[in-house]
Amino acid sequence: AEDLSHVMGDYRHGHSAEQLVSITNAIVSAGTTHNIDPLFLLAVSFTESRWQLGAIGDGGSSHGPWQMCYLAAARIHPGKRRLVLQALHNWGTAANIAAAYWAHLRGKYRARSDVVYNCGPIRCGRGRNMVRSTRVTRSYWRHYRRFTRMLHARHVVSNSE
């Protein structure tokens, strides 16, 4: 978690060092629990919201750092709409909901789970007609590679000292 907080620290976006550690602890815990790479969760939340907890997009239908809609979140975290949307604006629960949803999508859609996460199973097609990638999904992977390089460079520097 400390290493991830250093990656986030380069893009701080108004978070204090203590907040970064708390956020990355939540992401690492959720990723570990649901077998999703925490660095990937970090990259998706950066792409979707630039790590803004209060982010609301898509005309008010996407919420929180992972920009999840109510129906996707409610699949993992059932409850009244207001309570589910509140959960998406809390780092701990939002990270857990996002990681669990990614695990669900990965199990169902495998390699295309990123596309389904970004634009849904109906809008992005099914079977052979499924969209292979979107500008946003390519951004998930671009940020993931960038964060991986940053983490690797940090380990190389700390090992040489």
Side-chain angles (χ1 to χ4, degrees):
E2 184 181 327
D3 287 339
L4 291 186
S5 66
H6 285 288
V7 169
M8 283 185 80
D10 289 347
Y11 299 89
R12 190 158 288 178
H13 292 285
H15 300 295
S16 70
E18 295 81 25
Q19 288 172 318
L20 293 178
V21 170
S22 176
I23 292 166
T24 55
N25 282 338
I27 292 171
V28 167
S29 175
T32 302
T33 299
H34 298 287
N35 199 25
I36 302 293
D37 185 346
L39 200 58
F40 183 72
L41 289 172
L42 196 68
V44 171
S45 63
F46 181 78
T47 301
E48 292 288 352
S49 69
R50 294 302 191 255
W51 299 320
Q52 297 304 308
L53 186 59
I56 299 175
D58 296 327
S61 64
S62 298
H63 293 262
W66 283 274
Q67 288 295 282
M68 293 185 71
C69 71
Y70 164 74
L71 291 176
R75 173 179 210 84
I76 304 301
H77 188 82
K80 293 186 178 185
R81 182 179 178 87
R82 179 181 57 80
L83 298 176
V84 172
L85 296 180
Q86 277 180 341
L88 293 176
H89 293 279
N90 172 289
W91 278 105
T93 55
N96 195 53
I97 292 168
Y101 190 62
W102 273 102
H104 163 74
L105 292 178
R106 188 177 62 192
K108 187 169 183 176
Y109 297 100
R110 293 182 173 64
R112 299 286 178 243
S113 59
D114 57 348
V115 173
V116 174
Y117 181 87
N118 177 239
C119 61
I122 295 171
R123 200 172 86 191
C124 287
R126 291 192 172 121
R128 302 189 88 187
N129 296 325
M130 184 175 252
V131 174
R132 295 197 190 290
S133 70
T134 66
R135 181 181 54 81
V136 174
T137 61
R138 289 187 296 273
S139 187
Y140 296 161
W141 294 106
R142 184 175 56 252
H143 289 117
Y144 178 72
R145 287 187 301 271
R146 179 182 299 150
F147 296 161
T148 300
R149 284 191 304 269
M150 291 169 67
L151 207 55
H152 178 72
R154 178 169 168 70
H155 283 287
V156 168
V157 168
S158 65
N159 288 339
S160 66
E161 293 175 349

